């Protein structure tokens, strides 16, 4: 513990302020409300009015009488003013107010005390180190002096006189001309919520001195001011991307010395490997040696679902990993998206991991599989002699169900007459239903898929049977081919037999339906809150996606009112059963959307020193700032950013989290209210 002195009697106020530089640098971090008694509900007029200093209360432990601590203020009545009062002549340590108390009065009662207490702005954190201090000046009215004035903490309002204090004056304070600073380091051993100020030692452990044994005022009286409880902390981003910078900040000191040689409270470091940074935090008699470890890591290890294929009309879930936020090219911001692709599509996602790491863009391809894609059917038909058998095999599928009841990929048949066998095959969800004819005859009885019809861009599998070899007009030599004609076309196949049967040529006609097209109109940009009509150009039955887009999901025209940029899909079935699709993109304009920083640093360095809303269409705003108890500490209605001051008083609020309410007028003539939190950092 150390004592520091500044004048309390004969020095002008301007000189006092210059001497208090260590305190004024720290008071914004102070956990003691109304720490210099400047905030008051009424001006003092008589004795025992310490309660007029907002937040402070008298402790009546071992106090026998109606009188107690006096509140002194320049605005008070004669006798209760600063600098002149019934306790003598003095200047306040800070500002124009302080308090006066008797540290003991053995002639009144043993262990008589005039102690005070208040509730801390936030509880102490067990294990955390704090710099604590107070200032005392011996009252000129009193001819006796004592030691032991100090500070103690408690979880309740009872401030017992039991010889316990966090810091106290071990020496007698008898100086009436200068303020004495009582300070020291304190490590909290509990989550204390209250602070007491005064003499918490009993008479037997308190030294009482006097130069006048027969004095008329045998009470040791003291002016008390500047109660400080300053947390000493260290912090910063301890995990960063390689090559990036971390800001490390120590607090609670009047000076600092880092292992890097820096002497500021904050330093910027860019370590190439895991590095420990140490700092000595210095505050008068309270020094603290501490350190923090910063670890650089590699970049983002992002991944995405591999390239894949899905059946036409089916959905699939794509998943990206390795980040903390994601932005897909369809506007989604979740790590996984469920999609209904209507054509082969490339999907990209921007993966962000924070920690100042650069974003990574990854992609995957999703292709559409037509029914039966990759599945073929083979057999040894026709049979050109009686009593023969035929092996029928499905290739490229994973499950099978034959008309015979078999579920294997291959069956052996020996029909006594011409027979038809059917099979339903699947290769991962895309089913293929086809038939094969086995002819039990002495000659080829070749067959081919009858004339077929397909939707535009559709495909059909043509199957020839009854032979051992096949040669199509397309050049294919398999028993079946998949064709996707752009217009009506004719396909021929020559069927041959390995047992001497004559070749047979068959023809199949594939007609492409004239379905027309469906068109949506039109992709547009609208302000947030507006609605727009989307209309299909053709008549028919409709299905809109996403489901629930409109009150009439089956109408040809709908009104939509999206809250975010949205792609709308329409699906219609033609009279031939063909699926027609189209889509439009409705973009929500940014007008009316505002964002806010979650922290700022009003420390006078002209960097991030004010708090205000940001947005492209903001015309004006009104701002209200509240502390954690709901108290209004700042307001304006003229679009002025908050500079961190309490009611523009010049005093910066303490480092803490505050609640804001902003009423914003935008160019779309909509007034919006935003409520959130912002953290004040030093």
């Amino acid at each position: 513990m150390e004592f520091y002195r500044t004048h309390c009697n004969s020095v002008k106020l301007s000189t006092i302020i210059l001497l208090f530089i260590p305190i004024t640098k720290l008071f914004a971090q102070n956990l003691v409300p109304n720490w210099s008694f400047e905030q008051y509900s009424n001006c003092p007029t008589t004795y025992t009015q310490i309660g007029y200093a907002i937040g402070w209360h008298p402790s009546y432990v071992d106090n026998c009488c109606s009188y107690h601590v006096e509140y002194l203020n320049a605005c008070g009545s004669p006798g209760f003013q600063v600098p002149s009062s019934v306790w003598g002549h003095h200047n306040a340590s800070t500002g124009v107010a302080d308090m006066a108390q008797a540290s003991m009065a053995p002639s009144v009662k043993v262990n008589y005390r005039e102690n005070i207490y208040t509730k801390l702005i936030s509880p102490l954190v067990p294990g955390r180190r704090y710099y604590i201090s107070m200032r005392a000046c011996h009252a000129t009215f009193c001819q006796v002096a004592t030691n032991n004035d100090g500070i103690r903490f408690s979880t309740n309002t009872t401030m017992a006189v039991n010889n316990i204090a966090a810091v106290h004056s071990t020496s007698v304070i008898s100086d009436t001309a200068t303020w004495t600073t009582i300070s020291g380091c304190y490590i909290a051993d509990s989550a204390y919520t209250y602070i007491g100020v005064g003499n918490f030692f009993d008479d037997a452990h308190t030294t009482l001195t006097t130069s006048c044994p027969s004095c008329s005022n045998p009470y040791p009286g003291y002016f008390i001011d500047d109660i400080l409880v300053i947390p000493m902390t260290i912090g910063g981003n301890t995990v960063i991307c390689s090559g990036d910078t971390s800001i490390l900040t120590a607090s609670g000191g009047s000076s600092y010395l880092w292992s890097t040689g820096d002497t500021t409270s904050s330093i910027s470091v860019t370590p190439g490997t895991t590095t420990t940074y140490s700092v000595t935090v210095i505050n008068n008699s309270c020094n603290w040696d501490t350190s923090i470890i910063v670890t650089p890591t590699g970049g983002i290890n992002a991944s995405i679902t591999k390239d894949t294929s899905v059946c036409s009309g089916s959905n699939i879930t794509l998943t990206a990993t390795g980040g903390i936020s994601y932005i897909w090219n369809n506007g989604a911001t979740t790590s996984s998206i469920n999609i209904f692709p209507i054509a082969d599509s490339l999907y990209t996602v921007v993966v962000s991991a924070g920690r100042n790491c650069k974003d990574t863009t990854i992609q995957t391809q999703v292709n559409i599989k037509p029914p039966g894609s990759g599945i073929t059917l083979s057999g040894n038909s026709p049979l050109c002699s009686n009593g023969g058998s035929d092996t029928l095999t499905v290739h490229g599928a994973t499950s099978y169900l034959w008309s015979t009841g078999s579920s294997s990929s291959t069956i052996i048949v020996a029909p006594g007459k011409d027979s038809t066998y059917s099979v339903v095959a699947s290769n991962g969800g895309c089913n293929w239903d086809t038939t094969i004819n086995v002819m039990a005859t002495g000659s080829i009885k070749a067959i081919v898929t009858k004339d077929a019809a397909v939707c535009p861009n559709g495909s059909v599998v043509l199957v020839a049977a009854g032979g051992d070899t096949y040669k199509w007009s397309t050049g294919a030599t398999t028993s079946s081919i998949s064709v996707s004609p752009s217009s009506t076309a004719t396909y021929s196949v020559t069927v041959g037999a390995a047992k001497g049967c004559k070749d047979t040529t068959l023809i199949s006609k594939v007609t492409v339906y004239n379905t027309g097209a469906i068109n949506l109109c039109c992709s547009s940009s609208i302000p947030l809150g507006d609605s727009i009509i989307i209309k299909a150009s053709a008549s028919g039955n409709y299905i809109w996606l996403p489901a629930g887009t409109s009150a009439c999901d089956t109408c040809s025209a709908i009104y939509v009112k999206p809250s975010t940029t949205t792609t709308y899909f329409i699906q219609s079935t033609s009279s031939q059963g063909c699926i027609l699709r189209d889509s439009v993109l409705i973009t929500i304009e940014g007008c009316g959307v505002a964002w806010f920083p979650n922290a700022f640093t009003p420390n006078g360095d002209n960097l991030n020193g004010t708090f205000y809303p940001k947005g492209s269409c903001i015309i004006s705003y009104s701002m209200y700032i509240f502390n954690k108890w709901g108290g209004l500490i700042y307001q304006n209605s003229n679009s002025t950013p908050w500079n961190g001051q309490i009611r523009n008083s010049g005093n910066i609020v303490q480092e803490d989290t505050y609640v804001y309410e902003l009423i914003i007028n935008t160019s779309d003539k909509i007034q919006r209210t935003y409520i959130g939190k912002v953290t004040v950092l030093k």
Side-chain angles (χ1 to χ4, degrees):
M1 179 185 309
E2 295 187 14
F3 300 93
Y4 300 88
R5 303 183 185 277
T6 56
H7 292 275
C8 64
N9 190 10
S10 59
V11 179
K12 293 181 180 179
L13 183 60
S14 59
T15 305
I16 294 173
I17 292 175
L18 292 174
L19 292 172
F20 289 172
I21 290 175
I23 288 181
T24 55
K25 285 182 177 179
L26 297 175
F27 85 92
Q29 308 169 38
N30 193 1
L31 298 184
V32 181
N34 200 10
W35 54 277
S36 64
F37 308 100
E38 302 301 314
Q39 300 173 18
Y40 56 92
S41 58
N42 295 288
C43 293
T45 59
T46 185
Y47 298 94
T48 322
Q49 293 181 339
I50 184 60
Y52 285 1
I54 294 175
W56 288 96
H57 309 278
S59 173
Y60 286 101
V61 175
D62 292 326
N63 181 281
C64 66
C65 310
S66 60
Y67 45 83
H68 209 282
V69 182
E70 275 68 69
Y71 177 49
L72 308 178
N73 193 304
C75 72
S77 299
F80 300 94
Q81 298 175 328
V82 174
S84 296
S85 70
V86 295
W87 289 81
H89 186 84
H90 75 294
N91 288 304
S93 174
T94 298
V96 294
D98 56 18
M99 70 88 149
Q101 51 101 281
S103 61
M104 64 186 300
S107 62
V108 176
K109 180 187 175 183
V110 175
N111 294 333
Y112 172 89
R113 296 292 181 270
E114 291 185 358
N115 299 334
I116 59 173
Y117 72 88
T118 189
K119 187 174 183 179
L120 295 170
I121 292 173
S122 60
L124 300 188
V125 177
R128 176 169 293 176
R129 183 183 298 264
Y130 295 85
Y131 169 71
I132 59 176
S133 72
M134 60 176 284
R135 284 198 163 136
C137 183
H138 190 216
T140 56
F141 173 76
C142 302
Q143 293 86 27
V144 292
T146 63
N147 61 348
N148 287 343
D149 261 351
I151 293 172
R152 70 166 299 160
F153 298 102
S154 176
T155 57
N156 54 58
T157 60
T158 300
M159 300 292 168
V161 179
N162 58 359
N163 302 317
I164 295 176
V167 65
H168 69 286
S169 61
T170 56
S171 301
V172 174
I173 299 175
S174 58
D175 194 341
T176 62
T178 58
W179 286 93
T180 298
T181 298
I182 306 166
S183 66
C185 278
Y186 177 71
I187 299 177
D189 57 7
S190 184
Y192 295 117
T193 53
Y194 292 90
I195 181 174
V197 178
N199 180 6
F200 300 101
F201 291 78
D202 59 28
D203 288 359
H205 290 83
T206 300
T207 301
L208 180 67
T209 64
T210 179
S211 60
C212 180
S214 60
C215 291
S216 59
N217 296 300
Y219 311 117
Y222 291 91
F223 301 113
I224 303 296
D225 207 351
D226 295 345
I227 316 301
L228 301 181
V229 177
I230 309 297
M232 305 179 78
T233 62
I234 187 172
N237 196 349
T238 58
V239 179
I240 61 175
C241 273
S242 298
D244 288 334
T245 297
S246 177
I247 304 298
L248 306 181
T249 301
S251 66
S254 57
S255 62
Y256 306 86
L257 179 59
W258 292 84
S259 54
T260 60
D262 293 288
T263 57
T264 55
S265 62
S266 295
I267 62 172
S268 297
V269 296
T270 309
T273 60
T274 298
T275 305
T276 300
Y277 297 91
S278 59
V279 62
T280 299
V281 183
I282 304 168
N283 198 332
N284 292 333
S285 60
C286 182
N287 295 342
W288 180 38
D289 294 319
T290 187
S291 62
I292 189 171
I293 299 175
V294 180
T295 301
T297 65
I300 299 175
N301 186 20
S303 65
I304 192 173
T305 303
K306 294 181 179 179
D307 292 350
T308 187
S309 299
V310 296
C311 298
S312 178
S314 299
N315 67 307
I316 186 173
T317 297
L318 303 180
T319 300
T321 61
I324 61 175
S325 65
Y326 307 86
I327 301 178
W328 295 82
N329 60 339
N330 66 355
T333 58
T334 54
S335 61
S336 296
I337 59 173
N338 190 32
I339 58 172
F340 294 81
I342 58 177
D344 294 350
S345 302
L346 181 68
Y347 293 87
T348 61
V349 58
V350 178
V351 182
S352 300
R355 304 191 306 273
N356 298 322
C357 296
K358 294 181 179 179
D359 294 345
T360 296
T361 300
I362 51 180
Q363 63 185 28
T364 188
Q365 178 73 30
V366 179
N367 295 323
I368 303 299
K369 297 188 296 184
S373 174
I375 302 177
T376 59
L377 177 63
S378 64
N380 202 26
S381 178
L383 299 175
C384 291
S385 61
N386 293 330
S389 63
D390 197 1
T391 299
L392 309 180
T393 303
V394 177
H395 305 275
T398 57
S399 64
Y400 321 87
L401 182 59
W402 293 87
S403 55
T404 62
S406 174
S407 58
S408 63
S409 62
T410 298
I411 63 172
I412 298 176
V413 296
K417 59 180 181 178
D418 294 350
S419 300
T420 299
Y421 298 89
S422 63
V423 64
V424 177
S426 173
N427 61 355
C430 299
N431 293 335
W432 182 48
D433 190 350
T434 190
T435 61
I436 185 170
N437 295 314
V438 177
M439 295 173 289
T441 178
S443 61
I444 293 178
K445 289 187 178 181
I447 60 172
V448 71
T449 301
K450 293 182 179 180
D451 292 348
V454 296
C455 297
N457 301 317
S459 63
V460 65
V461 175
L462 302 181
V463 178
D468 298 316
T469 62
Y470 306 89
K471 186 172 182 180
W472 294 86
S473 54
T474 62
T477 58
T478 56
S479 62
S480 63
I481 61 173
S482 179
V483 296
S484 301
S486 59
S487 60
T488 298
T490 299
Y491 300 87
S492 64
V493 59
T494 299
V495 182
K499 299 181 180 181
C501 299
K502 293 182 178 181
D503 293 347
T504 298
T505 300
L506 303 174
I507 295 175
S508 181
K509 181 180 180 181
V510 178
T511 300
V512 179
Y513 289 131
N514 181 15
T515 61
I518 184 172
N519 294 299
L520 284 182
C521 185
C522 298
S523 293
S524 304
S525 296
I526 62 173
L528 179 65
D530 282 4
S531 61
I532 189 172
I533 187 170
I534 304 174
K535 186 176 181 180
S537 62
S539 60
N541 50 7
Y542 303 96
I543 297 176
W544 290 88
L545 296 174
T549 292
S550 173
C552 181
D553 283 346
T554 59
C555 296
S556 62
I558 62 172
Y559 281 94
V560 295
K561 188 178 181 181
S563 57
T564 60
T565 296
T566 303
T567 299
Y568 294 93
F569 298 87
I570 190 171
Q571 176 175 298
S572 177
T573 304
S574 70
S575 59
Q576 300 92 347
C578 298
I579 302 300
L580 308 177
R581 297 184 178 92
D582 197 12
S583 66
V584 296
L585 176 67
I586 304 302
T587 302
I588 299 301
E589 299 173 348
C591 190
V593 178
W595 65 273
F596 314 84
N598 58 13
F600 72 109
T601 55
N603 54 13
D605 62 359
N606 295 322
L607 297 175
N608 192 29
T610 58
F611 171 74
Y612 59 94
K614 297 183 179 180
S616 61
C617 300
I618 296 176
I619 295 177
S620 63
Y621 61 88
S622 299
M623 181 187 300
Y624 303 87
I625 305 296
F626 304 86
N627 60 26
K628 64 177 64 179
W629 294 283
L632 179 63
I633 62 172
Y634 176 83
Q635 71 178 79
N636 81 75
S637 59
N638 56 2
S639 304
T640 301
W642 182 35
N643 58 9
Q645 295 184 10
I646 301 174
R647 301 184 183 90
N648 293 321
S649 62
N651 294 325
I652 304 298
V653 299
Q654 66 269 18
E655 185 171 275
D656 208 336
T657 298
Y658 297 85
V659 176
Y660 64 78
E661 179 180 5
L662 281 101
I663 301 173
I664 297 178
N665 297 304
T666 54
S667 58
D668 56 3
K669 299 182 180 180
I670 296 177
Q671 186 179 83
R672 297 173 172 86
T673 299
Y674 297 85
I675 297 176
K677 294 181 179 180
V678 63
T679 299
V680 175
L681 303 174
K682 300 295 183 178

